[in-house]
Amino acid sequence: MRVGVLGSRADMAERGDRTILRKIASYEAEPGEVGRVLLLYSGGLDTSVMLKWIQDEYQAEVVALTVNLGQPGEEFEVVRGKALQLGALDCHVVDAREEFAEDYVLPAIKANALYGGGYPLFTALGRPLIAKLAVEYARRSGCDTIAHGCTGKGNDQVRIEASVAALAPELKIIAPVRGWQMGREEEIAYAREHGIPVKGGTETPPYSIDDNLWGRSSEGGAIEDIEEPPREDVFTLVTRPEDAPDEPQLVEIEFERGRPVAIDGERLGLVELLERAGEIGARHGVGIVDHIEDRIVGLKVRDLYEVPAADIVLTAHKELEKLVGTIHQNQFKPQLDSQWAFLVYAGLWHEPLLSDLNAYMDAVNEQVTGAITLKLYKGKVTPVARRSPNALYDPRLAGFGESGGLFSQQASPGFIELWSLQSRMAWAIRNRGREGS
Ligand code: ARG
């Protein structure tokens, strides 16, 4: 970019400035290898600058791809128009909501996927699908290289590049933001100089946002000050719990074999159901998470999440799973759940262990049929009622408070004697010679 930030690639090569020319990974493109680029385009500042920058710096053609994963309020036709205006040969807008819900979010639900105790992985789940579509459209449009707008500090570069490199070893990758050393100011200057419209003025977005139908994240800016509570202006999806309705709302989520199929008795397709859950939750202030997170690249970061749909659906799913699972399954599955979440967080969507785990998740979820009623009230989601044909719960057996239960209390002392045998022996040995042993 000959605008005085770095000078053109040719100038840099002459000066021996290798910062952005040096290729590290085998799949990264050398400047000379880039003829036509498939750019993952969001319409934001980074990827808009990139759309122009790639044409100038590589003398390459650019085909843009914008993926709809249910980002609320996004105007995809505007994004497309912007790409074409900036010189893209074409801009494909793909509505991938259905595939995202079915093949990415549903397995996450079956695995109760939560990373670090609070992050339902919406971004991490979206990246492998975006990468898959990038490969598909790159091949279809005769591109030799895929470009993305991830920085060198985050997890998203790992997820996209790991997936692209697995699916399409023949394609090269470039990640200009990682090397171009422009900050926001320089990018805005570049945009001005090249007639790139900058959305909402220059001071506006103090945060880095990523969202889809499974949640929304904000990072950066004032959020990085972990000694301060979140500012009000971060939250645009979920109502402040304080401002949520004073009346609680009961919602029933129904599942068939682990898949959510109805809300309050109304059967809905998965995308619609997740969107509906999101709306109801948002109204009640549900799903705000202030998360200190261990990134896969070593950094700790603070994320502010708004995840109303995930809070509702995961809470219900977990509750139902617990009702139909044995004590052994219920003790064991959370360990595999957390392994599942870690692999997905870490960008290893194509790791075979993940499909091994999916087989286990599917097997357990065969029994997860029934419904959970949740109470939503001022930011909280609480299960308050359950029903399932597969519940391992039988009030006739328990018969608490009456003597008439079918459960044989006479059998209990024999059980206790054997169950506690080793522990009692060990206790005696460790206390040999002490008083009272
Ligand atoms: N911390 C989350 C993750 O690593 C969210 C990242 C959101 N990305 C963004 N560009 N703001 O998945």
Side-chain angles (χ1 to χ4, degrees):
M1 101 218 65
R2 48 202 50 75
V3 290
V5 181
L6 286 177
S8 75
R9 284 187 161 262
D11 294 347
M12 288 177 44
E14 233 154 76
R15 289 202 316 266
D17 181 347
R18 311 287 298 165
T19 23
I20 63 175
L21 296 176
R22 199 174 56 218
K23 140 191 164 107
I24 306 276
S26 56
Y27 56 73
E28 284 184 294
E30 303 279 9
E33 296 176 308
V34 181
R36 185 182 290 174
V37 176
L38 187 290
L39 169 66
L40 286 166
Y41 185 64
S42 71
L45 179 63
D46 286 338
T47 54
S48 294
V49 167
M50 204 177 298
L51 209 170
K52 258 270 179 279
W53 189 87
I54 290 169
Q55 297 173 74
D56 288 353
E57 291 303 310
Y58 289 94
Q59 302 299 311
E61 297 172 320
V62 178
V63 175
L65 171 65
T66 302
V67 184
N68 175 1
L69 298 179
Q71 300 89 309
E74 189 63 88
E75 291 173 75
F76 291 100
E77 271 319 297
V78 175
V79 174
R80 188 178 127 80
K82 197 168 168 184
L84 296 175
Q85 185 208 323
L86 296 177
L89 291 185
D90 201 350
C91 178
H92 304 279
V93 175
V94 179
D95 183 350
R97 286 177 297 171
E98 203 68 46
E99 187 176 3
F100 181 53
E102 286 293 333
D103 297 346
Y104 297 80
V105 179
L106 182 56
I109 293 169
K110 291 181 177 177
N112 301 309
L114 216 53
Y115 174 72
Y119 170 42
L121 297 171
F122 52 89
T123 296
L125 290 164
R127 298 309 181 205
L129 173 53
I130 290 171
K132 187 187 116 175
L133 291 168
V135 166
E136 222 169 281
Y137 279 81
R139 285 177 174 159
R140 201 191 283 186
S141 344
C143 297
D144 44 60
T145 302
I146 288 174
H148 63 74
C150 307
T151 73
K153 290 182 178 180
N155 298 310
D156 288 330
Q157 53 174 347
V158 182
R159 297 163 183 155
I160 288 180
E161 292 180 20
S163 289
V164 168
L167 296 174
E170 83 281 9
L171 290 174
K172 299 283 172 191
I173 300 175
I174 56 174
V177 179
R178 218 153 45 186
W180 70 18
Q181 295 177 346
M182 282 193 275
R184 194 176 154 72
E185 303 291 296
E186 287 98 339
E187 283 185 38
I188 289 170
Y190 183 96
R192 290 261 158 73
E193 233 157 299
H194 292 80
I196 301 168
V198 178
K199 186 163 66 177
T202 52
E203 319 86 63
T204 354
Y207 309 116
S208 158
I209 310 295
D210 190 64
D211 57 1
N212 60 45
L213 52 77
W214 198 228
R216 176 179 200 275
S217 87
S218 309
E219 293 179 349
I223 296 169
E224 289 175 0
D225 187 353
I226 62 167
E227 300 191 0
E228 290 297 325
R231 291 205 214 162
E232 299 289 331
D233 66 350
V234 172
F235 304 108
T236 65
L237 189 62
V238 174
T239 310
R240 291 183 349 142
E242 300 88 311
D243 299 336
D246 292 324
E247 284 304 307
Q249 181 175 347
L250 298 186
V251 213
E252 188 201 62
I253 312 287
E254 190 177 338
F255 293 84
E256 284 172 11
R257 300 157 75 223
R259 175 197 181 88
V261 294
I263 295 190
D264 290 334
E266 186 185 348
R267 284 189 81 90
L268 296 168
L270 194 54
V271 170
E272 246 190 308
L273 186 144
L274 298 177
E275 285 174 349
R276 181 79 60 89
E279 284 159 25
I280 300 173
R283 202 172 338 119
H284 285 277
V286 154
I288 292 179
V289 184
D290 182 343
H291 205 230
I292 300 293
E293 194 166 293
D294 288 305
R295 279 187 185 163
I296 209 66
V297 295
L299 298 170
K300 279 194 200 294
V301 65
R302 182 201 208 177
D303 273 273
L304 294 173
Y305 293 125
E306 295 167 86
V307 290
D311 200 0
I312 287 179
V313 174
L314 293 179
T315 301
H317 180 267
K318 245 185 265 180
E319 183 71 12
L320 184 56
E321 203 178 70
K322 214 163 66 180
L323 189 65
V324 302
T326 67
I327 182 173
H328 307 290
Q329 292 177 303
N330 290 343
Q331 294 278 328
F332 183 65
K333 187 164 181 288
Q335 299 170 46
L336 296 201
D337 288 350
S338 95
Q339 188 65 38
W340 194 98
F342 178 69
L343 289 176
V344 171
Y345 185 79
L348 299 182
W349 188 258
H350 299 92
E351 158 62 44
L353 177 57
L354 193 64
S355 39
D356 298 349
L357 292 174
N358 280 328
Y360 173 79
M361 302 301 167
D362 284 341
V364 173
N365 275 278
E366 280 298 308
Q367 301 302 316
V368 183
T369 294
I372 299 295
T373 303
L374 304 167
K375 182 167 95 175
L376 312 185
Y377 181 62
K378 298 215 181 265
K380 279 194 65 170
V381 183
T382 319
V384 292
R386 317 98 183 119
R387 62 183 164 84
S388 168
N390 304 333
L392 301 182
Y393 173 84
D394 188 341
R396 287 167 309 164
L397 270 177
F400 290 121
E402 319 154 20
S403 45
L406 300 176
F407 182 92
S408 166
Q409 298 192 49
Q410 280 74 42
S412 279
F415 162 75
I416 296 166
E417 178 159 38
L418 304 188
W419 172 242
S420 63
L421 178 60
Q422 287 196 4
S423 305
R424 287 184 289 111
M425 285 172 73
W427 179 269
I429 288 168
R430 280 152 186 71
N431 290 287
R432 248 186 317 233
R434 285 188 216 168
E435 207 202 331
S437 68

